Amino acid sequence: MARPHKPLLSTGRIVEAARELIDAEGLDALSTRRLAAELGVSGPSLYNHFATKDEIVEAVADSVSARVDLSMFEDGRPWRTALYDWAMSYRAALRDHPNIVPVLARGPGRRPAGLRVADAVYGAMVRAGWPPAQATSVGALMRYFVMGSALGSFAGGFVEDRAAYDPGDYPHLGQAHLLAERQETIDERAFETGLTALLDGLAAQFARISVNGPGPQGP
């Protein structure tokens, strides 16, 4: 019997299938048995590419990090503009793959794409004139903000039943039942509002550092 022209499996194909399964049903739905069935192969064949299920999950997480645009840190944009554009791209990647966010929230670990993101942000801030300790803090702050926004939806946390918000109990929530149907618009607007406020604060801090110096340096 002739060999197939293309191999049945590749690392990329496994990661893609695992990502689709996680997107559709969540992290708990992923198992090597289930993934092998989705790919139409035997379970042991996966181990030619990944030693454990955890390695597959890590690869899926890194594939999402790889979708984050980093070009704004390489084309000369001012640091504030670059952070804004990057944060928008970062959130878009997480929004499209929300079920993998808890894995990404643990940090990049040894994941190459995740480490490239961290390296790009930190390097751009240092080049812009942020002292190294503050550049680390800026990168961490941005990550907290973007990651937190992807862990849940404010608007999606309300139900569409007007009766759930009795004005006798919640006098200021008379329109809360309308939030869920406008979830995407409200959440996007809230993110942009928070991002602008955060960057305003960083710009003010950067101006003080430029005038007064960085102060005591931490790690």
Side-chain angles (χ1 to χ4, degrees):
M1 182 176 178
R3 291 184 176 180
H5 181 65
K6 294 182 179 180
L8 290 175
L9 279 184
S10 68
T11 298
R13 187 175 170 219
I14 293 170
V15 170
E16 181 180 2
R19 186 174 59 239
E20 290 175 354
L21 181 56
I22 291 170
D23 285 346
E25 301 183 34
L27 282 165
D28 290 343
L30 181 67
S31 68
T32 53
R33 182 189 298 272
R34 174 74 184 279
L35 184 57
E38 294 286 333
L39 289 164
V41 299
S42 64
S45 61
L46 297 177
Y47 296 114
N48 293 324
H49 300 271
F50 295 97
T52 65
K53 187 187 87 168
D54 286 345
E55 285 190 6
I56 297 173
V57 171
E58 289 290 301
V60 170
D62 211 39
S63 75
V64 173
S65 293
R67 298 183 175 208
V68 180
D69 184 14
L70 299 176
S71 64
M72 64 285 298
F73 297 122
E74 302 165 355
D75 61 12
R77 274 175 252 189
W79 69 264
R80 177 178 171 150
T81 301
L83 279 183
Y84 181 93
D85 294 342
W86 167 73
M88 296 297 289
S89 175
Y90 192 8
R91 183 173 184 271
L94 301 186
R95 183 192 58 217
D96 291 343
H97 306 281
N99 292 333
I100 200 65
V101 171
V103 178
L104 290 165
R106 298 198 294 260
R110 298 177 181 271
R111 296 191 295 268
L115 290 169
R116 282 192 291 272
V117 170
D119 182 73
V121 175
Y122 176 79
M125 295 306 99
V126 170
R127 288 195 302 274
W130 283 92
Q134 280 88 345
T136 299
S137 296
V138 170
L141 171 62
M142 296 299 296
R143 181 173 170 275
Y144 296 154
F145 178 72
V146 179
M147 199 72 67
S149 76
L151 287 172
S153 163
F154 172 80
F158 294 85
V159 298
E160 297 183 12
D161 181 7
R162 180 193 291 267
Y165 308 105
D166 188 322
D169 296 322
Y170 316 107
H172 304 295
L173 295 182
Q175 301 295 307
H177 64 287
L178 301 175
L179 294 175
E181 68 180 31
R182 303 173 187 172
Q183 175 179 336
E184 183 173 350
T185 298
I186 291 169
D187 288 348
E188 290 284 346
R189 188 172 63 213
F191 180 78
E192 292 187 30
T193 299
L195 179 58
T196 299
L198 187 156
L199 292 174
D200 284 347
L202 287 177
Q205 181 178 338
F206 186 71
R208 290 194 297 271
I209 289 172
S210 299
V211 171
N212 302 320
Q217 291 293 292

